[in-house]
Amino acid sequence: MANLKSTLCALAVCSLGATAVQAADVEVLHYWTSGGEAKAAGELKKMLEGKGDHWKDFAVAGGAGENAMTALKTRVVSGNPPAAAQLKGPAIQEWGDQGVLVSIDDVAKKDGWDKVLPPVVANVMKYKGQYVAAPVNVHRVNWLWINADALKKVNAKAPTTWDEFFKTADALQKAGIQPVAIGGQSWQEAELLETVALGVGGADFYKKAFVKLDQSALKGPTMIKVLETYRKVKSYTDKANAGRDWNLATAMVINGKAAMQFMGDWAKGEFSVAGKRAGVDYLCVAAPGSAGAYTFNVDSFAFFKLKDKDAAKGQRDLAGLLMSPEFQETFNLYKGSIPARQGMDLSKFDECGKKSAEDFKAAAAKGTLVPSWAHDMAISPAVEGAIYDVAGQFWNDDTMTPQVAAEKIAAAALTK
């Protein structure tokens, strides 16, 4: 009998051990902390834990992720990286060069990622031909969000050109309505500059200036016009914007304290959380002059080499989930973006989501699909940071001329 008991105990221990191997701690570094974003992250946590893994939340506040990237560097340098971290664009390649990313190509091949991802997205997720990151969405950056009631009050339509935009802004200002909401943070100022550049110069100029970093384009007459327009937009913002988070600027539009906001489609998540309806309470339109183009920003998670070999199971579970049709639908409905995975049923998406998906395909076909330099998709972090600085200086110093600012941006593009 004693031997039988010992055998049963041993079997129980083995069984527990097997269960322990199946469950994994998966520490995920992200910067989704606003209403719609936090809801989306919560959904991912629920799905991962449904697979028997344990989500360890490593959320670092800060809309554009600068704080999160600082935290990631500290952890990687100390030899203790998270299992996955929210990374984008060239930063994925830079971490790959450091030898700290792990391949998830086995998951990608099993689930056929190459067949369901547009090449422009898939290529960003690979390092030396192998997937090291999984995309969760495609954001459109060049949106203008408008409070529908504010437009009605001044009997105006959504502006499609810069002339129409400034005419509408004048009418709003006369009616005592703040025309434009913005937060005085470097990434918001840079994003606005990017959107103005696309609307004023078009996709070809944008690619030459902010993807190829062509010196003549950055110093030329089109760039001067971009900067003049950028400064004019500033004259319709409030003076109390310093340090304001993007979602608080969105709240100003939601609550009717301001009429319009230039912001990527993560703003839509805030409208959704507030119970507002697209096409009724608010309008989503391409920023002036940019209707035929599409600035994309892809959120993705890169996977890091870990000392704990058991964690690999959790990483692969997470990678598979991130690209699953179920998660891509649920997540993007919360986040305001559209699925990175192509060929999905978008019937649950509102008119903004459907319009974004249509415009993405059309821009890809026309060659007017461009990566967002302000959101880490086009240029190195060093160059991006240097241009951020100039955009902020020009925004905050009315004595700096557009010509001087253009020269400074051109010099910033040479940063190593």
Side-chain angles (χ1 to χ4, degrees):
M1 192 69 179
N3 285 342
L4 179 59
K5 275 185 179 177
S6 299
T7 303
L8 289 171
C9 285
L11 285 170
V13 169
C14 287
S15 174
L16 284 169
T19 304
V21 170
Q22 291 304 306
D25 277 341
V26 185
E27 188 177 23
V28 183
L29 169 64
H30 65 91
Y31 43 95
W32 292 330
T33 54
S34 74
E37 294 176 326
K39 214 169 177 183
E43 196 60 36
L44 180 57
K45 174 185 176 182
K46 195 192 303 178
M47 287 184 171
L48 185 68
E49 294 192 337
K51 284 187 168 284
D53 300 309
H54 177 241
W55 171 283
K56 284 182 70 178
D57 200 48
F58 187 2
V60 182
E66 299 103 320
N67 298 339
M69 293 307 97
T70 300
L72 177 62
K73 283 172 189 168
T74 302
R75 287 286 298 273
V76 174
V77 168
S78 67
N80 182 30
Q86 190 179 346
L87 284 180
K88 294 189 290 188
I92 295 172
Q93 307 306 311
E94 291 193 355
W95 282 111
D97 288 341
Q98 297 299 314
V100 294
L101 298 183
V102 65
S103 171
I104 51 165
D105 220 41
D106 53 341
V107 179
K109 281 181 177 157
K110 180 171 71 72
D111 294 345
W113 290 9
D114 276 344
K115 293 176 185 172
V116 294
L117 285 177
V120 72
V121 175
N123 293 341
V124 175
M125 302 299 125
K126 295 176 181 178
Y127 179 72
K128 292 188 175 175
Q130 295 208 337
Y131 281 95
V132 292
V136 294
N137 61 4
V138 173
H139 277 299
R140 186 181 197 174
V141 180
N142 60 310
W143 281 117
L144 178 65
W145 304 91
I146 307 173
N147 181 295
D149 283 341
L151 272 196
K152 284 177 193 166
K153 283 175 184 171
V154 296
N155 195 28
K157 292 180 180 176
T160 59
T161 66
W162 286 107
D163 285 344
E164 287 176 6
F165 173 81
F166 291 123
K167 187 178 175 184
T168 301
D170 283 335
L172 288 161
Q173 211 162 45
K174 266 186 195 171
I177 302 168
Q178 182 66 51
V180 179
I182 191 171
Q185 295 175 325
S186 60
W187 73 269
Q188 293 188 59
E189 293 157 3
E191 185 191 300
L192 176 58
L193 178 60
E194 167 184 287
T195 297
V196 172
L198 183 65
V200 170
D204 287 342
F205 164 78
Y206 179 98
K207 284 188 272 192
K208 198 173 179 187
F210 292 108
V211 178
K212 296 176 182 173
L213 300 174
D214 180 88
Q215 287 286 301
S216 62
L218 289 170
K219 294 177 188 175
T222 303
M223 192 64 195
I224 301 300
K225 191 175 178 188
V226 166
L227 290 161
E228 288 169 349
T229 307
Y230 178 64
R231 174 160 282 163
K232 193 170 180 182
V233 173
K234 183 197 170 186
S235 67
Y236 295 99
T237 63
D238 66 306
K239 289 185 168 63
N241 65 60
R244 180 187 294 144
D245 287 333
W246 70 269
N247 53 312
L248 298 181
T250 306
M252 290 171 68
V253 178
I254 291 171
N255 299 328
K257 290 182 179 175
M260 301 180 282
Q261 181 189 24
F262 293 93
M263 186 54 58
D265 54 18
W266 45 92
K268 193 179 67 163
E270 301 302 298
F271 283 97
S272 299
V273 167
K276 302 299 182 183
R277 294 162 298 164
V280 179
D281 303 304
Y282 67 95
L283 307 177
C284 51
V285 297
S290 72
Y294 191 116
T295 326
F296 70 87
N297 171 26
V298 178
D299 283 317
S300 55
F301 284 90
F303 295 85
F304 285 77
K305 290 178 181 174
L306 301 174
K307 291 173 185 171
D308 179 5
K309 298 300 176 190
D310 290 341
K313 184 260 179 190
Q315 287 179 312
R316 275 152 180 74
D317 284 347
L318 180 60
L321 272 176
L322 290 168
M323 272 292 291
S324 69
E326 298 78 15
F327 175 71
Q328 291 261 326
E329 177 181 87
T330 304
F331 174 84
N332 286 291
L333 285 170
Y334 282 139
K335 188 77 161 58
S337 42
I338 59 172
R341 188 184 182 107
Q342 300 294 284
M344 286 183 53
D345 176 11
L346 299 179
S347 57
K348 291 183 184 175
F349 286 74
D350 63 19
E351 63 181 62
C352 300
K354 288 171 183 168
K355 175 70 173 160
S356 183
E358 286 168 17
D359 288 354
F360 180 87
K361 285 179 187 171
K366 288 190 299 184
T368 55
L369 188 65
V370 296
S372 168
W373 68 263
H375 288 285
D376 315 325
M377 297 302 300
I379 52 183
S380 75
V383 171
E384 181 184 312
I387 298 178
Y388 263 40
D389 288 345
V390 180
Q393 288 166 25
F394 183 67
W395 182 264
N396 293 295
D397 180 3
D398 290 339
T399 66
M400 184 185 291
T401 66
Q403 289 76 12
V404 168
E407 291 286 343
K408 283 179 174 285
I409 289 172
L414 301 173
T415 304
K416 298 296 182 189

